[in-house]
């Protein structure tokens, strides 16, 4: 029986991963969250892991008291989350949001766990280091992000060196078709209404700005060893074709399905086997599939991410950090929607040039980008 450690278990991906764990009968040996101890306690009582970890120290102390009648160990803080990631288990599914996921991924890799990766910020900020560590430890990184799972599935059986191009699809988000002038005064509520997917708040805003697609371009560069120029972003409103590849002979292979994150979550956990069917795709119902070029004049976060990965070094960490801070500012009602891209651009313009970087450099660049955003928000 597979032993699963789930980081970010209380979130959108985390709760769906537990549905998959129930369907597959996995043993869940570790659960981690940020601060939602009400849900984490329920999950702990159901799955009876060896340990749980809570990032927030105060919440961890409270959970320790609530779970005193069990023999579940309660760890706390960033150190506790990283310790949990290295404990008893075969696979670590990282569904933490933001750069907070980077160190736990590295801890899991060093403990030689298979990585099922939803936390795209891990590869965006630390791609080169993470890949080097994974190779050194003989660890596989299996994508959970639906597009990257689709690409990975399309590549099964493709000979090495045959990948020519990646076709990365995007839903276009809630503001598809809108121009800058339409977006001046959009509300948080409108930005949180995604047409096809129900996800955590941060990634939902990233989908509205197309930052999510920019982060996914960077994620794909690392996962599939391609150049940014080999990735074509296609706006595909129906979210049925989850992405694909073009091979050297021009053959295009793609993965299609209903928009349901349990499918890519499950594939990362059952790979190379296939799991259970959650929902059948009726192509007659889907009927029409459309593909358009993204509007990069209006949604500038996408070209900014392209520029960041082309420049390399810590530039992707800078755009990511600026975006995390700007999105938090937008969600708190402190800045307007269009300012998110402005702040990401301003941070990228000031990004230091560090071609060979360490984990410390990444966090320094992240902090600098966040400070710049904080200054403009004040
Ligand atoms: P949510 O906001 O719904 O969940 C985030 C999870 O991370 C929660 O369990 C949260 O705990 C936990 N968390 C936050 N900070 C920390 C921390 N410092 N240490 C430990 N745990 C922490 O996000 P999503 O599930 O939507 O997204 C998770 C990741 O997956 C993101 O990187 C996202 O880009 C990616 N992803 C998500 C998709 C989706 O459909 N949702 C699709 C593809 C990728 P708490 O609840 O206590 O705050
Ligand atoms: Mg995605």
């Amino acid at each position: 029986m597979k032993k699963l450690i789930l980081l970010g278990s209380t979130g959108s991906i985390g709760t769906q991963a537990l549905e998959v764990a129930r369907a597959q009968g996995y043993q869940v040996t570790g659960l981690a969250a940020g601060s939602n101890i009400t849900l984490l306690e329920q999950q702990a009582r159901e799955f009876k892991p060896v340990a749980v970890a809570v990032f927030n120290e105060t919440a961890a102390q409270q959970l320790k008291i609530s779970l005193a009648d069990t023999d579940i160990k309660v760890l706390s803080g960033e150190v506790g989350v990283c310790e949990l990631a290295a404990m008893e288990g075969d696979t670590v599914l990282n569904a933490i949001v933001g750069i907070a996921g980077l160190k736990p991924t590295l801890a899991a890799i060093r403990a030689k766990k298979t990585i099922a990766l939803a936390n795209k910020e891990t590869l965006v900020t630390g791609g080169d280091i993470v890949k080097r560590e994974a190779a050194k430890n003989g660890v596989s990184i299996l994508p959970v992000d639906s597009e990257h799972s689709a690409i990975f599935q399309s590549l099964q059986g493709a000979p090495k060196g045959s990948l020519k191009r990646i076709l990365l699809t995007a839903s276009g988000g809630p503001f598809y078709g809108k121009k800058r002038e339409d977006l001046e005064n959009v509300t948080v509520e409108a930005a949180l209404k995604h047409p096809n997917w129900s996800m955590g708040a941060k990634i939902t805003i990233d989908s509205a700005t197309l930052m999510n697609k920019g982060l996914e371009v960077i994620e794909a560069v690392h996962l599939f060893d391609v150049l940014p120029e080999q990735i074509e972003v296609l706006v595909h409103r129906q979210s049925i074709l989850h992405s694909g590849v073009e091979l050297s002979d021009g053959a295009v292979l793609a993965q299609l399905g209903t928009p349901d994150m349990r499918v890519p979550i499950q594939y990362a956990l059952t790979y190379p086997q296939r799991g259970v069917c959650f929902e059948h795709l009726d192509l007659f119902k889907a009927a029409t599939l459309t593909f358009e070029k993204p509007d990069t004049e209006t949604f500038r976060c996408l070209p900014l991410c392209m520029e960041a990965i082309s420049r390399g070094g810590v530039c992707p960490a800078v755009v990511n950090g600026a975006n995390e801070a700007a999105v938090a500012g937008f969600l708190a009602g402190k800045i307007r929607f269009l300012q998110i891209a402005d702040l990401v651009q301003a941070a990228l313009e000031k990004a230091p040039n560090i071609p060979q970087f360490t984990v410390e450099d990444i966090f320094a660049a992240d902090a600098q980008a966040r400070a710049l955003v904080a200054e403009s928000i004040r």
Side-chain angles (χ1 to χ4, degrees), residues 106-361:
L106 287 170
I109 290 174
R110 287 171 187 148
K112 303 203 182 328
K113 312 289 181 198
T114 299
I115 309 294
L117 194 62
N119 179 258
K120 62 191 80 182
E121 296 90 345
T122 282
L123 287 173
V124 168
T125 59
D128 293 341
I129 295 172
V130 169
K131 271 173 37 189
R132 217 180 304 136
E133 284 293 316
K136 199 168 93 189
N137 288 284
V139 156
S140 307
I141 299 178
L142 303 167
V144 169
D145 211 345
S146 58
E147 295 79 358
H148 304 74
S149 175
I151 295 160
F152 182 61
Q153 292 180 57
S154 304
L155 283 172
Q156 295 305 308
K160 221 177 153 47
S162 64
L163 174 60
K164 204 167 100 193
R165 238 157 43 101
I166 283 178
L167 307 174
L168 186 69
T169 51
S171 71
F175 302 139
Y176 161 81
K178 299 258 188 277
K179 295 289 169 201
R180 286 183 68 79
E181 55 274 21
D182 308 319
L183 298 175
E184 293 282 355
N185 295 312
V186 294
T187 61
V188 170
E189 200 194 358
L192 282 175
K193 272 206 191 95
H194 196 279
N196 303 340
W197 300 95
S198 156
M199 311 179 284
K202 190 256 176 186
I203 184 176
T204 307
I205 300 303
D206 287 351
S207 300
T209 58
L210 288 203
M211 181 74 188
N212 183 49
K213 214 43 60 181
L215 298 176
E216 290 185 354
V217 167
I218 304 173
E219 187 185 10
V221 164
H222 290 299
L223 278 170
F224 305 109
D225 284 321
V226 292
L227 298 168
E229 304 81 72
Q230 285 174 280
I231 301 174
E232 173 116 66
V233 174
L234 304 96
V235 175
H236 165 55
R237 294 294 286 158
Q238 300 79 21
S239 295
I240 296 291
L241 189 150
H242 298 306
S243 285
V245 296
E246 184 182 324
L247 302 180
S248 49
D249 59 354
V252 170
L253 306 180
Q255 184 251 329
L256 286 75
T258 57
D260 183 341
M261 281 310 295
R262 290 172 301 181
V263 178
I265 292 169
Q266 177 174 254
Y267 190 63
L269 298 176
T270 60
Y271 173 80
Q273 307 301 324
R274 309 291 320 198
V276 300
C277 176
F278 293 103
E279 201 187 335
H280 173 78
L281 169 66
D282 183 347
L283 275 175
F284 292 114
K285 239 194 225 158
T288 310
L289 304 182
T290 57
F291 302 93
E292 295 159 71
K293 281 199 185 300
D295 173 0
T296 50
E297 300 268 302
T298 306
F299 300 98
R300 286 180 15 246
C301 286
L302 173 58
L304 287 169
C305 285
M306 296 271 204
E307 186 188 330
I309 184 64
S310 299
R311 279 174 59 184
V314 294
C315 291
V318 166
V319 290
N320 179 73
N323 178 64
E324 284 192 32
V327 169
F330 174 68
L331 287 171
K334 290 181 183 160
I335 62 166
R336 284 173 295 114
F337 182 75
L338 290 174
Q339 280 179 281
I340 299 174
D342 294 345
L343 291 166
V344 169
Q345 179 167 4
L348 181 58
E349 278 163 12
K350 292 215 169 76
N353 181 19
I354 317 174
Q356 299 295 323
F357 56 92
T358 62
V359 173
E360 290 69 35
D361 293 329

